[in-house]
Amino acid sequence: MAVLAAILFSGNVAAAGSWQPLQNDDLHDPASPAIGLLQQPAEALSKLPPDTTGNLVRWVEALEKGHIEPRSNIFPETKINLLDKDILMNLKGGTPIVRFPHRAHTLWLDCANCHDHLFKAQTGGNKLSMMQILQGEQCGVCHGAVAFPLTECNRCHSVPRPGIAKPSATPR
Amino acid sequence: MGGWLAWLVLLASLALPGQPALAEYGDVVLNRRSEKEGMRPVIFSHWFHRIRFQCKVCHQELGFKMRVGSNDVRMADIINGKFCGMCHNGDVAWGPDRCDLCHSGKRGLPTGIYGGHETSGPGRW
């Protein structure tokens, strides 16, 4: 058991904290004068709560715990909308129920980023489809591109269905 | 049997975490006009910007649509304080005279979103 724990632990350590330097990321031109001036991902991201995927950062946790303090607006007159309301979805499906937390989303986004062109602001009024999401529509506009990727099934499908065992491979 | 195993290996290789993805998750290459006009493509890093600004600042206040290629941003707009120019004005962030800091990409890169660790982002499927 201890050996297993050690292996799992070392795996987590290895997964955390490997960011390519900009000059090796296959996007930046190593000859660009920007190299050496732009901030390197490792310098910024290694200080934030670690994740196993995406930018290897728990972005919501980083914001909630004050590791980062991203500005909410540029124009002083902009109204900041926060909503603390969970929506349960996929109530009749076979996979665990989806808990959609408005709070974590409105910490970053405005209502108008999703409503109503992606989702009607009405519980039960939207037909969601994993095929659509995997093609970059609906939740997939962000999840799979900038927010945690679609391999993390259980972060959304997070509420066990009564009478059905919880799936085993559960990233936190 | 062999075919079944190949599928399994293929699926496993797609699902395995920690594959080396070189670009950082959410990096965007903008090259609609850059190279045609003799500049390197622009590399926009979501990770760098979201440390400093919530998504809604650019995607709501500044009007950037959430789809790569759907924003027709011209340097004239930026110099006039629109889009990137709202901050990249020499005051909040470096100004549009620092061409090379944004136009820093490898030549030949197509416009798109890069750096998916596992799912490679929208458009792969």
Side-chain angles (χ1 to χ4, degrees):
Chain A
M1 188 56 105
V3 173
L4 184 65
I7 291 168
L8 287 174
F9 183 67
S10 65
N12 282 342
V13 169
S18 51
W19 296 273
Q20 283 293 324
L22 297 178
Q23 59 273 26
N24 301 338
D25 69 2
D26 269 2
L27 291 190
H28 289 87
D29 180 351
S32 162
I35 302 297
L37 294 174
L38 295 178
Q39 186 178 33
Q40 292 285 352
E43 189 212 327
L45 303 181
S46 62
K47 296 168 189 153
L48 302 178
D51 199 352
T52 53
T53 188
N55 296 121
L56 309 181
V57 168
R58 290 246 162 203
W59 284 108
V60 172
E61 185 182 335
L63 190 141
E64 281 186 314
K65 293 196 172 159
H67 296 286
I68 56 174
E69 293 179 54
R71 280 179 65 171
S72 59
N73 57 307
I74 299 259
F75 306 118
E77 66 274 17
T78 298
K79 185 171 180 291
I80 307 302
N81 297 305
L82 284 175
L83 178 64
D84 189 1
K85 180 184 184 185
D86 287 352
I87 307 290
L88 295 179
M89 293 183 282
N90 187 31
L91 293 174
K92 293 177 185 161
T95 48
I97 293 166
V98 172
R99 183 182 66 85
F100 172 85
H102 270 102
R103 186 171 179 280
H105 287 83
T106 53
L107 284 177
W108 294 100
L109 293 158
D110 187 70
C111 314
N113 288 130
C114 305
H115 297 305
D116 286 326
H117 65 296
L118 290 180
F119 304 109
K120 280 188 238 166
Q122 180 195 348
T123 305
N126 297 287
K127 205 171 170 63
L128 279 92
S129 139
M130 277 312 303
M131 274 314 288
Q132 290 271 306
I133 294 169
L134 284 160
Q135 290 174 70
E137 304 295 333
Q138 302 180 333
C139 320
V141 170
C142 297
H143 287 285
V146 296
F148 67 73
L150 301 169
T151 44
E152 309 307 296
C153 316
N154 299 325
R155 289 194 199 178
C156 300
H157 291 271
S158 60
V159 182
R161 211 169 279 284
I164 297 179
K166 203 176 174 187
S168 53
T170 306
R172 214 160 16 128
Chain B
M1 182 65 189
W4 178 82
L5 198 64
W7 273 108
L8 194 71
V9 170
L10 178 67
L11 286 173
S13 70
L14 288 175
L16 270 180
Q19 287 183 347
L22 298 179
E24 198 50 50
Y25 192 67
D27 279 355
V28 177
V29 171
L30 302 168
N31 198 8
R32 188 198 303 241
R33 293 195 189 80
S34 296
E35 266 188 272
K36 285 184 205 148
E37 303 195 6
M39 297 298 293
R40 292 182 176 91
V42 170
I43 311 294
F44 172 87
S45 293
H46 271 101
W47 67 264
F48 179 92
H49 287 84
R50 70 185 296 180
I51 290 173
R52 295 153 175 89
F53 296 93
Q54 296 173 15
C55 319
K56 58 179 103 171
V57 171
C58 301
H59 290 297
Q60 190 59 28
E61 291 189 295
L62 305 190
F64 280 101
K65 291 185 199 138
M66 292 173 165
R67 184 71 77 193
V68 172
S70 61
N71 298 290
D72 193 18
V73 179
R74 291 160 187 264
M75 275 316 301
D77 295 328
I78 297 171
I79 291 163
N80 287 328
K82 288 192 203 150
F83 294 115
C84 321
M86 188 69 207
C87 294
H88 283 282
N89 52 12
D91 183 16
V92 179
W94 65 72
D97 55 320
R98 308 288 306 276
C99 317
D100 285 330
L101 290 182
C102 301
H103 290 274
S104 60
K106 284 188 170 176
R107 291 179 205 279
L109 284 173
T111 293
I113 190 154
Y114 288 75
H117 278 230
E118 281 102 21
T119 60
S120 297
R124 164 167 159 184
W125 298 89

